[in-house]
Amino acid sequence: MEHKTIYELIAEYSNGTLSPAAREQLRHLIDNDREARKLFRDIREAEKLLKTIQAQEKLSPREAWENFSETLTHTRRKNRRLHRIIGTAIAASVALILLFIFPDTRSTYAPEQQVAQTQIEPGSVKAVLSYANGETVNLTSSASSRIVAPDGSTIVNDSLEGLQYNKDNRETGQTAPLHMITVPPGGEYRFTLADGTRVWINSSSEIQFPSQFSGNTREIYMKGEIYLEVAPDKSRPFIVHSGNDRIRVLGTKFNITAYPEEQKTITTLVSGSVEFEHNNSKIRLSPGEQSIMDHTTDKLEKQKVDVSIYTSWISGAFEYENMPLSYIARQLSRWYDVQFTFEAAEFREHPFTGIVKRNQTLEEVLTIIGKTTNIKFEISGRNIIIKKAEDAANISRLNN
């Protein structure tokens, strides 16, 4: 196998061109080399900031790099947070790796400079693991490749794929303690349960699950929004609990949205088959169908949908089709950790159709929405005021 430099590996990871063999090489370096692990995290942060500069003025990669280069030396004293993110000792490495990611910028390479951050950043990987005894592990900052829980179970902390729970020799019928992963506003996380089921957790969400599954069923509990790729096991149905709602599956891919403030549980089926149950009401879903449990009316309905609209978040996008601004505002508030205020109630049902990327800055997302909705967004700190605008693309920022 060809051994590549850490710079080449990180660049290919960022560009989505990393081969399975190279992925294992990168994972080995991150797990076993402290400097490589720190470089990987700093590079990813710097890459996000450079993309922010590019999005700010809709610049080409070369123009963004020039902007980047010209402003960095003037911001070191002003931005202490960034000074901590990218230390002087690794600034050259950060700039070098960005040249691999943005090759058009090579003629203006300036390694001694540092990045400026001015806009509202998108969310990132953030999560906390909690045990039944109250102990917690910050998964965002944990550098350990293996975690030993108080119950004795060993969890692989994969630097690229998140926690990987392993099967153990626990006797059938012996109940394993529940673990909980909490994702705050502005965060997301993914991991793998002990049965091989893959889980994606969206912002402002939590999931409780046993460290090992035992008995005749596999049961988990959730709030917020998760996407599941359930490992097939005909002898043990997989059951998701959300309040008084239950979703029963054997092996399938589906999305569940159950934020308390939404007053609805929405289950969207991608493949396989699931049965949604609430009290005495049941609905069985086929691929491309969605169940909606309205907890304000206690009404359960089923409809056909474009599943990509409800699952695009795991692929790094928000997809909308005639979606009211009130729904979009709640979704964006969780991802960007901001608050939206509607100047007039009628704007809440104003529809929007389009696709935005989750790695874009909030300003860029609002610009896209504003162009087709005749809405003005006024930004004051982390509060966004929604009002009617003569210039539909207008976004203003108030100085506090």
Side-chain angles (χ1 to χ4, degrees):
M1 180 183 72
E2 177 187 2
H3 285 273
K4 299 182 179 181
T5 67
I6 183 66
Y7 307 106
E8 293 173 310
L9 291 170
I10 298 176
E12 290 179 10
Y13 177 87
S14 296
N15 289 326
T17 59
L18 201 63
S19 68
R23 179 177 288 270
E24 287 304 314
Q25 185 183 348
L26 176 60
R27 180 181 286 111
H28 178 78
L29 283 171
I30 293 173
D31 289 344
N32 295 282
D33 188 320
R34 179 181 299 178
E35 291 302 316
R37 182 166 55 249
K38 186 175 187 299
L39 180 62
F40 177 78
R41 291 175 177 171
D42 291 333
I43 294 306
R44 296 292 291 164
E45 184 71 19
E47 177 192 353
K48 183 173 66 175
L49 299 182
L50 182 55
K51 287 181 177 178
T52 295
I53 294 174
Q54 181 179 350
Q56 182 177 0
E57 300 295 338
K58 296 191 180 301
L59 304 175
S60 67
R62 177 182 293 277
E63 291 169 330
W65 181 268
E66 290 173 351
N67 187 330
F68 174 91
S69 301
E70 291 171 1
T71 59
L72 295 182
T73 54
H74 300 294
T75 61
R76 184 177 302 180
R77 295 177 182 175
K78 296 180 181 179
N79 197 329
R80 298 191 177 190
R81 173 181 176 274
L82 199 55
H83 184 68
R84 291 195 299 271
I85 293 173
I86 307 175
T88 303
I90 66 162
S93 298
V94 170
L96 179 59
I97 201 71
L98 288 173
L99 295 182
F100 283 98
I101 300 170
F102 299 96
D104 290 341
T105 65
R106 291 179 180 174
S107 63
T108 55
Y109 166 50
E112 73 283 357
Q113 299 175 331
Q114 295 186 327
V115 187
Q117 180 182 8
T118 59
Q119 296 192 323
I120 296 177
E121 291 288 323
S124 58
V125 175
K126 298 174 188 175
V128 174
L129 172 65
S130 303
Y131 303 119
N133 66 356
E135 293 182 25
T136 62
V137 177
N138 187 333
L139 299 176
T140 310
S141 58
S142 176
S144 176
S145 61
R146 289 185 179 272
I147 298 173
V148 179
D151 57 66
S153 59
T154 300
I155 314 161
V156 174
N157 188 16
D158 191 290
S159 52
L160 301 181
E161 300 295 333
L163 295 183
Q164 312 285 305
Y165 280 79
N166 295 322
K167 294 181 180 179
D168 63 10
N169 296 321
R170 193 179 302 275
E171 295 180 5
T172 301
Q174 183 178 355
T175 303
L178 289 178
H179 291 187
M180 180 168 71
I181 294 180
T182 304
V183 175
E188 64 179 354
Y189 193 73
R190 62 178 177 177
F191 74 108
T192 303
L193 293 168
D195 67 335
T197 293
R198 301 178 68 195
V199 185
W200 286 256
I201 315 174
N202 210 346
S203 305
S204 303
S205 302
E206 67 179 42
I207 178 172
Q208 287 184 293
F209 53 93
S211 57
Q212 301 293 328
F213 291 107
S214 60
N216 298 323
T217 60
R218 298 169 288 165
E219 303 190 37
I220 66 171
Y221 304 80
M222 60 82 64
K223 294 179 182 177
E225 183 170 25
I226 63 173
Y227 179 87
L228 294 166
E229 292 186 355
V230 178
D233 187 343
K234 293 183 179 180
S235 65
R236 296 190 302 167
F238 195 98
I239 300 174
V240 182
H241 297 268
S242 177
N244 293 325
D245 304 328
R246 297 196 337 154
I247 300 99
R248 182 183 178 93
V249 306
L250 293 176
T252 187
K253 299 178 182 180
F254 65 108
N255 193 81
I256 311 170
T257 305
Y259 288 105
E261 65 271 19
E262 300 287 349
Q263 292 293 303
K264 292 180 180 179
T265 300
I266 301 174
T267 305
T268 307
L269 183 61
V270 177
S271 65
S273 177
V274 304
E275 182 179 78
F276 182 91
E277 179 181 347
H278 175 80
N279 295 334
N280 296 322
S281 301
K282 292 183 180 180
I283 284 182
R284 181 176 292 272
L285 298 180
S286 298
E289 293 182 336
Q290 178 184 83
S291 67
I292 302 174
M293 179 65 224
D294 190 329
H295 295 288
T296 61
T297 63
D298 208 33
K299 187 176 182 180
L300 178 59
E301 296 180 323
K302 179 171 71 173
Q303 63 182 8
K304 287 190 173 293
V305 296
D306 179 351
V307 297
S308 66
I309 294 175
Y310 300 91
T311 62
S312 59
W313 66 272
I314 72 167
S315 301
F318 290 123
E319 187 172 339
Y320 304 114
E321 183 175 341
N322 290 320
M323 200 70 72
L325 281 178
S326 58
Y327 174 87
I328 295 172
R330 291 194 298 271
Q331 190 176 61
L332 295 181
S333 69
R334 290 188 287 261
W335 182 235
Y336 291 93
D337 193 13
V338 295
Q339 295 296 320
F340 284 83
T341 302
F342 286 84
E343 190 176 67
E346 62 265 25
F347 297 153
R348 301 180 64 85
E349 301 307 312
H350 206 107
F352 170 73
T353 296
I355 299 176
V356 296
K357 297 294 186 180
R358 281 166 66 93
N359 65 358
Q360 292 175 304
T361 64
L362 179 60
E363 286 84 348
E364 186 173 16
V365 170
L366 297 182
T367 297
I368 293 171
I369 296 174
K371 284 180 177 178
T372 60
T373 58
N374 196 33
I375 294 295
K376 176 182 178 181
F377 298 95
E378 190 172 82
I379 301 175
S380 177
R382 304 197 75 83
N383 186 58
I384 293 85
I385 302 169
I386 300 176
K387 54 179 63 178
K388 189 173 183 178
E390 294 180 3
D391 177 4
N394 187 23
I395 295 180
S396 63
R397 181 183 288 273
L398 298 179
N399 294 322
N400 293 328

